[in-house]
Amino acid sequence: MNSKTDIDIVIRYLENPENEQCKRLLNDWIQEEPANLDIFLDMRDMWHGDPLPAASAFDTQGQWVQLSATLDKLPATQPSTATVATPIATAKVKKMPYRYWWAAAAVTGIAVGMAFLGPGANKTYATHQQIDSVRLQDGSMIYLNANTVVKVPRKFGETSRKVTIAQGEAFFDVAQRASQPFTVEASDVNIRVLGTSFNVKAADKDVQVFVQTGKVSAAFKNSDQNVILTPGLEARMPHNGNNISTTEHKKATNILAWKTRCLVFDESPLTDVAVALEDYYHVKVNINDPKLADARLLATFRNLPLDEVLDIIRKALQINIKHEGNLVEFY
């Protein structure tokens, strides 16, 4: 497939994202090469960005600097259906070829010479159904849950250590560097650490931060409200709010089950079991009989398929379970 055809596929999808044929063509193209996802994400960001000056008044080098700054300030958006539905072989992202940046610039009506073009300010790492990991220049590790998008500045570590979670969930194992704090941005929340390990989940309603080791400061960007978290503490910070709720997890918790691939239930009520199963297997779990809510489960599941887990729960608690598609029912 030549470069012009490649870009036509992306543009046709951006013009008509609900068209099934456009979705299918975009899916096929993204699957051809992992770097194509990064190309699509960058083009989508520019497609939805602010209008840029007309070509006749265009200061090539100056406007490229402004364009890069604009891209970095764009709010995180949910990926299209085509992006979410596309399996990705690896989360590593390749440098965008110059021909794609020429085409991306053309999308916004810019006539720019290639000599002044280059990659954006961030590297984008994305996962679909799999989990993956990234080692940063300072030795810190990021573990990405499924359906997660993380952006890391290409100049990470030179003047600051800042990472952005555009969506999803990630676990951070941070290399200590006293002179340079490590910060994570997720929606309207800032998380700041020196050296620790913690989990951040950018959920639909809030941002959840759980500390495994060390100490973390979590704060709203536009508020004085903040919280200091130590091991075992979890904070929930609602979008567009300023109230912070914290929970102390004294027993084994399944917050990190997606990373450890192990679910642990220590006399856990069925309501907690349902929440953990939803989060781990990405399904909807309903408890149809209220009398079952307090049933207690003592079990450990190490990287087992959902149906096998449900069969064990059914036998252990002597209850009925129905699993169809994306729905699980306890009754």
Side-chain angles (χ1 to χ4, degrees), residues 56-132:
S56 59
F58 200 80
D59 171 10
T60 302
Q61 188 167 7
Q63 292 300 330
W64 171 249
V65 173
Q66 292 184 25
L67 175 58
S68 296
T70 300
L71 288 176
D72 291 338
K73 293 178 181 178
L74 286 177
T77 58
Q78 295 296 324
S80 68
T81 303
T83 304
V84 173
T86 304
I88 305 169
T90 173
K92 301 294 170 61
V93 178
K94 298 180 181 178
K95 183 175 179 180
M96 178 182 285
Y98 284 144
R99 66 178 183 273
Y100 292 113
W101 283 99
W102 170 85
V107 170
T108 54
I110 307 171
V112 182
M114 286 192 297
F116 295 101
L117 294 181
N122 295 314
K123 294 180 181 179
T124 300
Y125 299 94
T127 57
H128 179 51
Q129 295 297 333
Q130 84 286 11
I131 63 175
D132 213 326

Side-chain angles (χ1 to χ4, degrees), residues 1-17 19-32 36 39-40 43-44 47 80 82 86 100 103 107:
M1 201 176 287
N2 61 52
S3 61
K4 184 178 186 301
T5 304
D6 293 347
I7 300 308
D8 286 344
I9 290 173
V10 178
I11 293 175
R12 283 200 298 271
Y13 171 79
L14 291 171
E15 290 177 335
N16 191 7
N19 184 279
E20 292 300 324
Q21 183 180 10
C22 293
K23 290 180 183 179
R24 186 175 66 256
L25 289 172
L26 182 68
N27 267 327
D28 293 342
W29 176 69
I30 290 178
Q31 290 184 63
E32 289 178 3
N36 288 348
I39 296 168
F40 166 71
M43 288 188 65
R44 183 198 62 189
W47 182 273
S80 68
T86 304
Y100 292 113
V107 170

Side-chain angles (χ1 to χ4, degrees), residues 36-53:
N36 288 348
L37 174 63
D38 198 37
I39 296 168
F40 166 71
L41 292 174
D42 285 326
M43 288 188 65
R44 183 198 62 189
D45 286 346
M46 281 193 286
W47 182 273
H48 294 295
D50 295 330
L52 295 174

Side-chain angles (χ1 to χ4, degrees), residues 100 126 128 131 179 184 223 225 242 258 281 286 292 300 314 329:
Y100 292 113
H128 179 51
I131 63 175
S179 62
V184 178
S223 171
Q225 293 292 322
N242 55 16
W258 68 267
Y281 292 103
N286 291 333
L292 298 178
T300 298
R314 177 182 60 80
E329 296 179 288

